[in-house]
Amino acid sequence: MSFGKTLLFHFWGESRFASEVRERFLRDELVDTIEVTSLRREISSFIRNRRRQWGTVHKSLFAVSDTSMVQPLVLIALLLLVTPAAERMIIDTEGNIRRISWMRLFGKDIPHLFLELLTSIVAWPVALIMGCAARMLLHRRPMPPSGDMCFYLRMNYKKGIKAGGSVTHTAGVIKGFRRCGISCVFVAVEDNPMIEPEEAVRRLVNPFRWFANLRIPALILFNLRVFMHMIHLEREFGRPAFLYQRYSIYAIAGVLYARLRRIPLVLEYNGSEVWIAEKWGEGRSGSSVALWYENIVIQGADYIVVVSRSLRDELLNRGAKKERVLVNPNGVDPEPFIKVQREEVENLRKKLGLQNRYVVGFVGTFGPWHGAEVLAKAVKPLSKRIPDVSFLFIGDGVRRRFAEEIASHEGVVHLTIFTGMIPPEDVPVYLLACDVLVSPHVPNPDGSEFFGSPTKLFEYMMAGRPIVASALGQISEILREGETALLVEPGNVQALCDGIEKLIKNDEMRMRLGRSAREEALAHYTWQAHVRRIIEFMGLSSRSFSG
């Protein structure tokens, strides 16, 4: 064990990277984890008083998803350098490190920042040119699709996302296309661990390593690289029947390519990325250009797939034509659940010390809308009613810390298990190890309508376990009160406790609701059914892609 403690910093919303670094590389160290919401504020705090607070510090680390894509490097380096540590470095989940020193900061990193600032001057004229070009091309209508191959484009400019709804959704759609007779060429910054090698051809696009500090210019110029990549892909694989794009902020390359080549564009729209950045992200998205791009992409898509009616209504208010928008809830892959053996479930419960306990389960990335804290607040009152109950929190994310703090404050840590991030392939056995599954989603903080379609909901249904869920948005449209779930008032701890207690004390109801939910998922909410609805919405059928 190293002398002194280790400070492990991570950005807001990226606790999973810190958890993985801590588990893999710092297991024998005394670690204090610090979440950073503002680098400037954290640097100022350390300069003023926190140097004295921490005492002897052996190492000061900053956990990121990939050391080759650090942003903003200079501010992270400054934060590490003002901490009272003997050793300072940036580290990623693979153990790659970037050592930090004053000499490197002034000799290399700050001069590079000035070069980035000069380069970024080019980004804004390029952004204007790309936006104007895309608008000029909007009148070009696509030619009818032919062939049985599509391009799947995901331009999320971040690495290290190995689990969660977005990963599950991408893999599900690609598998669904394949089962409908359509092969996919998957275009992204990094691979998806849930897609098997035979299920899609991968063609990864390298991000700009040059930009170590300025995110928005990097996102804008990344469009050029993706656009050229798509042109080369067409030469390699031939003309795709259509382009399917999962939208992300500043991602205009898809509409440029599709309109120029007159290829149908199917846009998967999961909410305004500008709104998400402002409400749940860093609060800085270069809003005017980002919103301009977002509107162009919405106008340029031939078909837009959304997961809820509230998202459809938002698009209609922004000028999208109703006949181009498909409301298509998320889905689930039944196969991993069907493969789980009873012995696996029993062994997991034994491993977790959950034999002879009623297990209430939650899975998620602990987003602000997931309501994990509501479930954490339900632990103490429910344990008074049902002494042999335990709570299994599966996953990791920004709000996990708050849920754990609630359990600690209320003295019920011994009744909770926080697994951290687990491999996606292990999720089915963890869900099947539960007796009741909970989806305690909460409303948006600004009062806007809840627009999500939680992938966990369909996984819960496929697991065949009874569900207690918030009567919120699409959740209450998918689940039927008293038939496939119990629906409770969002954010109401008492109502949540009542619903869970009702199921635990009624074996017949648990069996009936779980069975009905599973049948509903198999009949309507598989990924193959999800994709089939998209194909039919395009006025095609699976047979149309046979040649």
Side-chain angles (χ1 to χ4, degrees), residues 6 51 101-102 125 190 244 332 509 522:
T6 295
R51 290 176 66 92
S101 67
W102 287 108
E190 70 171 346
Y244 184 100
V332 64
M509 180 181 286
L522 283 169

Side-chain angles (χ1 to χ4, degrees), residues 300-369:
D302 300 290
Y303 310 96
I304 307 177
V305 182
V306 297
V307 294
S308 65
R309 277 193 263 185
S310 61
L311 283 177
R312 179 198 61 190
D313 294 342
E314 178 211 324
L315 290 175
L316 297 183
N317 289 333
R318 294 174 69 173
K321 295 180 180 178
K322 187 175 182 179
E323 61 271 18
R324 292 195 297 117
V325 183
L326 170 67
V327 178
N328 197 15
N330 283 327
V332 64
D333 184 2
E335 194 172 333
F337 290 86
I338 294 170
K339 286 182 176 179
V340 175
Q341 300 296 314
R342 185 181 182 88
E343 299 77 39
E344 294 179 75
V345 176
E346 292 173 350
N347 290 338
L348 178 61
R349 287 180 66 105
K350 184 177 180 180
K351 174 185 173 183
L352 297 175
L354 297 174
Q355 312 100 305
N356 304 316
R357 307 283 297 178
Y358 287 109
V359 182
V360 177
F362 163 93
V363 66
T365 52
F366 288 80
W369 58 95

Side-chain angles (χ1 to χ4, degrees), residues 380 405-415:
K380 186 173 182 178
E405 287 175 357
I406 290 168
S408 176
H409 178 72
E410 298 197 350
V412 291
V413 171
H414 62 291
L415 298 177

Side-chain angles (χ1 to χ4, degrees), residues 163-165 168 194 331-332 337 348 359-367 369-373 375 391-397 400 417-434 436-441 453-463 465-468 475:
T168 302
M194 294 185 68
V332 64
F337 290 86
L348 178 61
V359 182
V360 177
F362 163 93
V363 66
T365 52
F366 288 80
W369 58 95
H370 287 163
E373 299 99 310
L375 181 58
F391 293 76
L392 184 61
F393 291 82
I394 306 161
D396 202 352
R400 172 184 168 181
I417 297 174
F418 288 82
T419 67
M421 195 66 72
I422 65 172
E425 60 270 20
D426 291 345
V427 169
V429 68
Y430 273 80
L431 295 183
L432 288 164
C434 300
V436 176
L437 294 169
V438 181
S439 181
H441 287 76
S453 176
T455 52
K456 67 163 64 65
L457 203 64
F458 305 95
E459 293 172 338
Y460 287 3
M461 294 171 74
M462 192 61 225
R465 297 296 187 258
I467 302 166
V468 180
I475 297 172

Side-chain angles (χ1 to χ4, degrees), residues 116-154:
E116 283 186 53
L117 289 168
L118 289 173
T119 306
S120 70
I121 295 173
V122 177
W124 299 108
V126 169
L128 180 63
I129 292 169
M130 286 192 296
C132 291
R135 286 190 61 84
M136 290 172 61
L137 292 169
L138 291 180
H139 71 280
R140 289 172 64 88
R141 293 294 93 193
M143 293 188 289
S146 62
D148 57 0
M149 180 271 297
C150 74
F151 292 164
Y152 185 112
L153 177 60
R154 175 174 173 147

Side-chain angles (χ1 to χ4, degrees), residues 436-500:
V436 176
L437 294 169
V438 181
S439 181
H441 287 76
V442 294
N444 293 332
D446 65 350
S448 58
E449 190 174 359
F450 182 84
F451 55 79
S453 176
T455 52
K456 67 163 64 65
L457 203 64
F458 305 95
E459 293 172 338
Y460 287 3
M461 294 171 74
M462 192 61 225
R465 297 296 187 258
I467 302 166
V468 180
S470 297
L472 187 66
Q474 194 202 73
I475 297 172
S476 54
E477 297 172 8
I478 298 297
L479 300 175
R480 298 190 303 277
E481 166 63 24
E483 296 182 37
T484 56
L486 295 183
L487 299 175
V488 299
E489 181 186 353
N492 188 324
V493 175
Q494 179 66 40
L496 184 62
C497 289
D498 291 344
I500 296 171

Side-chain angles (χ1 to χ4, degrees), residues 168-338:
T168 302
H169 193 288
T170 296
V173 169
I174 287 176
K175 291 178 182 182
F177 276 130
R178 187 169 182 266
R179 289 167 184 168
C180 288
I182 305 169
S183 61
C184 289
V185 178
F186 179 50
V187 185
V189 169
E190 70 171 346
D191 200 1
N192 184 311
M194 294 185 68
I195 303 172
E196 299 296 331
E198 68 276 4
E199 290 174 331
V201 176
R202 277 84 158 169
R203 288 296 183 269
L204 304 183
V205 189
N206 291 323
F208 284 107
R209 311 283 184 193
W210 171 258
F211 288 99
N213 294 280
L214 306 178
R215 177 173 173 265
I216 293 177
L219 289 171
I220 290 170
L221 295 177
F222 186 55
N223 282 289
L224 297 177
R225 180 168 287 182
V226 171
F227 177 80
M228 294 306 300
H229 197 74
M230 304 289 283
I231 297 295
H232 288 300
L233 285 179
E234 189 174 339
R235 293 174 184 169
E236 181 180 359
F237 295 100
R239 180 185 176 85
F242 57 90
L243 169 63
Y244 184 100
Q245 179 181 356
R246 181 182 174 95
Y247 182 67
S248 54
I249 199 163
Y250 286 103
I252 202 172
V255 72
L256 276 170
Y257 167 75
R259 279 288 166 262
L260 183 67
R261 301 295 299 134
R262 298 184 64 191
I263 293 167
L265 172 61
V266 182
L267 179 70
E268 179 194 310
Y269 180 80
N270 294 294
S272 171
E273 292 288 342
V274 177
W275 185 93
I276 291 169
E278 290 175 349
K279 301 297 182 183
W280 292 332
E282 300 172 353
R284 303 182 305 277
S285 60
S287 297
S288 57
V289 175
L291 187 60
W292 184 43
Y293 272 17
E294 194 167 272
N295 287 330
I296 290 172
V297 173
I298 290 169
Q299 293 170 34
D302 300 290
Y303 310 96
I304 307 177
V305 182
V306 297
V307 294
S308 65
R309 277 193 263 185
S310 61
L311 283 177
R312 179 198 61 190
D313 294 342
E314 178 211 324
L315 290 175
L316 297 183
N317 289 333
R318 294 174 69 173
K321 295 180 180 178
K322 187 175 182 179
E323 61 271 18
R324 292 195 297 117
V325 183
L326 170 67
V327 178
N328 197 15
N330 283 327
V332 64
D333 184 2
E335 194 172 333
F337 290 86
I338 294 170

